[in-house]
Amino acid sequence: FKEMGRLEEAAASYRRALAVAREVGSAANQAVILANLAAVELARGRTAQATSHADEGYRLARDDASEALPLI
């Protein structure tokens, strides 16, 4: 969706994926999804939300899923 400029749909898709990643307890997936969601929010001009998602994703990767750091 993001590549097609359908940013609202991309954000919704990432939020659904994030809910699943949280449900199964995958910190690595959460970190990557949060980075992607941050990129979408930045493209939408929502810098505060983008920063929040990016910070949360980085903290998750740093603390619980270092293998995800190169991906975010």
Side-chain angles (χ1 to χ4, degrees):
F1 295 114
K2 181 181 166 207
E3 290 77 17
M4 296 183 293
R6 295 164 56 185
L7 300 177
E8 205 166 307
E9 290 173 80
S13 180
Y14 283 131
R15 283 192 293 273
R16 287 190 302 272
L18 183 58
V20 171
R22 285 180 171 153
E23 185 176 315
V24 299
S26 175
N29 283 334
Q30 289 176 64
V32 172
I33 294 164
L34 283 161
N36 289 330
L37 186 54
V40 169
E41 294 295 11
L42 188 60
R44 294 173 75 189
R46 301 175 67 176
T47 55
Q49 293 87 343
T51 300
S52 176
H53 293 311
D55 288 347
E56 183 181 354
Y58 175 74
R59 279 191 305 275
L60 269 169
R62 182 193 64 208
D63 297 344
D64 299 321
S66 60
E67 69 276 11
L69 281 171
L71 304 173
I72 61 169

